[in-house]
Amino acid sequence: MIELNDAASCINSVRSVRAASLRDEPFWGTVAMKLKICPCESHGGEEIDTLATDGHHLFVNPDYFKSKLPDERKTAILHEVAHVALCHPLRRMGRDPELFNIACDLAVNIWLKDSGYAIPEEWYCEERYRGWSAERIYADRLPKKQPKGKPPQGGRPGGKPSKD
């Protein structure tokens, strides 16, 4: 349970980052201003470990947020704002939610990195996806199914790798 002081402190901190974003990144800052700030540890049965968005709200885990330096907070908020600006919540369609979120993160994080923001090591960020859409990344990362009649990976019946 989040205490009232933690929630208020989190909201003020997010507001401060949004104001700085308006100055430094006007487009992204404007999109950020449209999101309702919701300090929480979970939403709709899903844990909020860091930050998340549904396109209308900015869900922020106060403990995570206050543990970050100001530059890291800005990057985290811009990450979520980019999901909104790129309509990622609307583009998932029938795709696997977890896999599509990873694909969206890869698309957003390479853009943030190219824009000069430091990407934490634990975030998804792969150079090979520079310029790719979330849908293209999603398709690339899906496990490839073997066509019928072909031996399993490894080249031999029974799935045992061939010895070279």
Side-chain angles (χ1 to χ4, degrees), residues 75-125:
T75 302
I77 288 176
L78 288 178
H79 172 97
E80 295 305 325
V81 168
H83 285 309
V84 175
L86 295 169
C87 299
H88 286 161
L90 301 174
R91 290 167 46 192
R92 180 166 49 95
M93 311 273 245
R95 296 177 182 92
D96 178 273
E98 186 176 341
L99 292 177
F100 190 66
N101 187 58
I102 291 169
C104 292
D105 285 349
L106 283 159
V108 165
N109 291 340
I110 197 68
W111 167 79
L112 285 168
K113 182 178 179 182
D114 288 349
S115 297
Y117 293 94
I119 303 301
E121 276 189 36
E122 66 271 13
W123 287 17
Y124 295 103
C125 191

Side-chain angles (χ1 to χ4, degrees), residues 65-79:
F65 201 67
K66 72 181 177 185
S67 74
K68 298 299 169 193
L69 298 170
D71 285 349
E72 295 169 324
R73 292 175 182 178
K74 185 175 182 183
T75 302
I77 288 176
L78 288 178
H79 172 97

Side-chain angles (χ1 to χ4, degrees), residues 4-135:
L4 191 55
N5 287 345
D6 288 342
S9 174
C10 180
I11 290 170
N12 287 335
S13 184
V14 172
R15 284 180 177 158
S16 181
V17 171
R18 288 194 316 187
S21 295
L22 273 173
R23 182 188 65 241
D24 302 336
E25 304 274 357
F27 174 79
W28 304 104
T30 301
V31 175
M33 297 303 282
K34 302 285 184 184
L35 299 174
K36 181 178 180 192
I37 306 165
C38 299
C40 57
E41 295 170 338
S42 66
H43 175 73
E46 298 286 323
E47 284 190 37
I48 307 294
D49 295 323
T50 57
L51 286 85
T53 187
D54 62 1
H56 303 285
H57 301 88
L58 179 61
F59 303 107
V60 182
N61 181 307
D63 290 334
Y64 172 82
F65 201 67
K66 72 181 177 185
S67 74
K68 298 299 169 193
L69 298 170
D71 285 349
E72 295 169 324
R73 292 175 182 178
K74 185 175 182 183
T75 302
I77 288 176
L78 288 178
H79 172 97
E80 295 305 325
V81 168
H83 285 309
V84 175
L86 295 169
C87 299
H88 286 161
L90 301 174
R91 290 167 46 192
R92 180 166 49 95
M93 311 273 245
R95 296 177 182 92
D96 178 273
E98 186 176 341
L99 292 177
F100 190 66
N101 187 58
I102 291 169
C104 292
D105 285 349
L106 283 159
V108 165
N109 291 340
I110 197 68
W111 167 79
L112 285 168
K113 182 178 179 182
D114 288 349
S115 297
Y117 293 94
I119 303 301
E121 276 189 36
E122 66 271 13
W123 287 17
Y124 295 103
C125 191
E126 296 178 28
E127 298 288 331
R128 70 189 184 116
Y129 293 125
R130 180 172 279 104
W132 288 32
S133 68
E135 290 83 358

